[in-house]
Amino acid sequence: MSILENRPALSAEVYKVAEVAGYLWEKGWAERNGGNITVNITEYVDDAMRAMPAITKPMPIGATLPNLKGCWFYCKGTNRRMRDLARRPMENGSIIRICDDCSNYEIVADEPVKPTSELPSHLSVHNYLIGKGSNYKASVHTHPIQLVAMSHNPMFLKKDVLSHLLWSMIPETKAFCPRGLGIVPYMLPSSVELAEETIKAIDDNYDVVMWEKHGVFAVGDDVMEAFDMVDVLNKSAIIYRDARAMGFIPDGMTPEQMQEISTVFNLPK
Ligand code: 2HA
Ligand code: ZN
């Protein structure tokens, strides 16, 4: 029996991940096992779940994360495909809990599917978010084609250059991704350095961070919200690309038009 049985709230949260995993695949952002998703599901944990034995031995996170004491997560499995997770989330991901030493985790359900290779970076970000008192529960890493393509041009990697360009392509982008796109220079995937730089960028008030020549990392209240921010940014990247492909450089909205959006939507910048 699945842990999701008779737990509608938890089940809804996991199936939201499955829905987003399907979108990532359809958009071409999740080739093979590309990308990963983790969601803090601690609020849905009941006494019966707490009493469940683990189905694996404790395994090292790769970091000590004190704010995660007592926390539970749904995690995509390492080497698993988003397109498979979309149909069978509990066969291609698992529910883990953090051990009391805050350095190890154990898998509780449904199957011993080892979590994502980016677990240290995802959990470090969750640890940071809890420390800040943030409501954000979800983190998504994916490979959005046009945004990654733009990260191959150093011109776009200077602070907020890409944010302003993308915001100016269509009014919704600033409205729905008001903090813009943070930039983290190229670093080895899954490395501690990449996790540290991602946290610095989130601390700098970005909800979506570009990993140069690799992908993006987004955080949000839930997985849908994190996905939507990447989606609006990538939509702007496609508009920019299509204008260039039509043979001209797009004007972009004027600074006055962008300011008007910020005023009407009461945005931070
Ligand atoms: O999990 O995308 O960056 C596969 C990846 C790692
Ligand atoms: Zn990746």
Side-chain angles (χ1 to χ4, degrees), residues 33-36 117-118 141 143 214:
N33 62 321
N36 24 70
S117 59
E118 300 282 3
H141 163 58
H143 304 159
H214 178 174

Side-chain angles (χ1 to χ4, degrees), residues 12 27 40 45 70 120 123 139 154 158 160 222 229 237 263 268:
K27 286 184 164 289
N40 185 339
V45 173
L123 291 186
S139 60
K158 296 197 192 93
D160 286 338
D222 70 358
M229 284 187 287
T263 309

Side-chain angles (χ1 to χ4, degrees), residues 171-183:
E172 276 78 359
T173 304
K174 194 169 189 194
F176 298 122
C177 192
R179 300 195 175 90
L181 183 61
I183 306 284

Side-chain angles (χ1 to χ4, degrees), residues 204-215:
D204 207 14
N205 223 4
Y206 296 102
D207 291 336
V208 189
V209 176
M210 167 77 80
W211 289 349
E212 179 188 339
K213 299 175 187 142
H214 178 174

Side-chain angles (χ1 to χ4, degrees), residues 43-44 72 82 159:
E43 66 190 289
Y44 306 108
W72 292 56
M82 288 290 181
K159 189 172 167 60

